[in-house]
Amino acid sequence: MGRNLARNLARNGFRVAVHNRTTSKAEALVDEFGDEGDLTLARSLEDLVGALERPRRIIVMVKAGEGTDAVLDELAPLLDEGDVVADAGNAHFHDTMRRHEALARKGIRFAGVGVSGGEVGALEGPSIMPGCDGDTYAEIGPFLEVISAHVDDEPCCTLIGPDGSGHFVKMVHNGIEYADMQLIGESVDLLRRLVHLEPADVAEVVRGWNDTELESYLVEITAEVLAHTDAETGRPFVDVVRDAAEQKGTGRWTVQTALDLGVPVTAIAEATMARAVSGDTTRRDAVREALAAPEEDPAVADDPGLDPDDLRAALYAAKVVAYAQGLDMVRAGSAEHGWDVELADLPRIWRDGCIIRARLLADITDALEEHPDAPSLLATPDFAAAVTERLPALRRVVAAGVAAGVPLPVFSSVLAYLDALRAERLPAALVQGLRDYFGAHTYERVDREGTFHTPWAGDRVEVDAG
Ligand SMILES: NC(=O)c1ccc[n+]([C@@H]2O[C@H](COP(=O)([O-])OP(=O)(O)OC[C@H]3O[C@@H](n4cnc5c(N)ncnc54)[C@H](OP(=O)(O)O)[C@@H]3O)[C@@H](O)[C@H]2O)c1
């Protein structure tokens, strides 16, 4: 990632000094791509610091966590007041807040910069989510905006807010990415198991989706991966890959943080759990053996009950919900930390360069700009109409999958989430009653203000607990 970002900067005419712990790698970069622009090798951090004009602007792109701390610990004593360090790795936003504070005490300006787009994005133009003070952004923003992806000459990079806000938004971006990928995976599973399509045929269906409102990078590469044949066996590539999805941690962080904030990001949570289930191979093997697979219902086998058009509609509705939940989380995080994040900026800078780039993001940007105070994207008129229209299809898809025993954790959770938000009454009232029964936790009433308790073990005459 670091070498591609350096090449991107050099290609855009910026003078770049590059350093890597393993010098041979930085050397190879300069040897191989030195003709792309002004790339200078720095064999040590001292050389790097000495090569830069002041205030120095340094991008750190190393393994997040201990790697970043190791580099910052070595770098900080070499810097002068006013220098800027931008951590472009996938740092946890709490680490970024800690580093920001520690470096600020030394007069060093720190930016936590979320970067998305994989290695190709880093080279050709990623989506960039910087979090820092305004004066720090004035030093690095102009560079970042030039090397970012562009849509209609607009950079896919903007100052998100201060402190850890950039890495917080990158974390949520990755959480949405988890949900999006799992939804696509569930859709493909349905087409294979209910419509009995081979991967190459599913690839055709998915390729067709990319000409619709589902157009997105992830849908595009899904068709590519499904159509790919394993050279060694001649089998579809997806059938020779172990079905245990890995994760580097940003999905888990998103869910942990969402729980702390009390924001129900159910689609992201289920997608993260689905990866955990897939990787839990010992338990999968044991339970598969212990719980014999149910006989396939002949009615289901004859009539899969799955209309691919329904699936397309359901996928769109579910994606909207995943994005809505992620945006809810940013709204809550911004309020909690006082970051004042402009929500509409996020879909705008995700329109290109990043992994979740999608046609849908332009519409989300418009909706948030027109309705900045809407408590949910789902409550904005166009998306409310779009989801309402597709709700019956989503229900039919989930019903077909459930009837046939196809696991649909994210589709199902999205449907439950929509049904819960739309319900007049939820069983939470009973939960409150139970909590009051065993723990005197009190409850509120629908017909008057106040907090109440019923002495369940006594006379059961309600008392005012306010
Ligand atoms: N890959 C992606 O698609 C992607 C996308 C967005 C963000 N990111 C983030 O970008 C950063 C870099 O990712 P990556 O994919 O290039 O691979 P990575 O394995 O996360 O990082 C490799 C780089 O980190 C250096 N490094 C590791 N530990 C170090 C330490 N203790 N001290 C100094 N340097 C250390 C390595 O140096 P050596 O070469 O000497 O080992 C190498 O330059 C990560 O924070 C990652 O989360 C990655």
Side-chain angles (χ1 to χ4, degrees), residues 1 20-22 25 61-64 67 70-71 89-90 115 118 170:
M1 286 296 287
N20 194 67
R21 172 179 72 165
T22 310
K25 292 189 188 171
M61 191 58 158
V62 298
K63 194 170 161 59
V71 171
N90 271 340
V115 176
K170 173 68 201 309

Side-chain angles (χ1 to χ4, degrees), residues 1-3 19-23 25 60-71 74 87-91 114-119 170 174 248 250 355:
M1 286 296 287
R3 78 195 238 126
H19 169 74
N20 194 67
R21 172 179 72 165
T22 310
T23 308
K25 292 189 188 171
V60 177
M61 191 58 158
V62 298
K63 194 170 161 59
E66 285 174 11
T68 311
D69 278 328
V71 171
E74 213 185 321
D87 172 20
N90 271 340
V115 176
S116 175
E119 294 195 359
K170 173 68 201 309
N174 284 21
K248 281 200 163 169
T250 39
I355 304 298

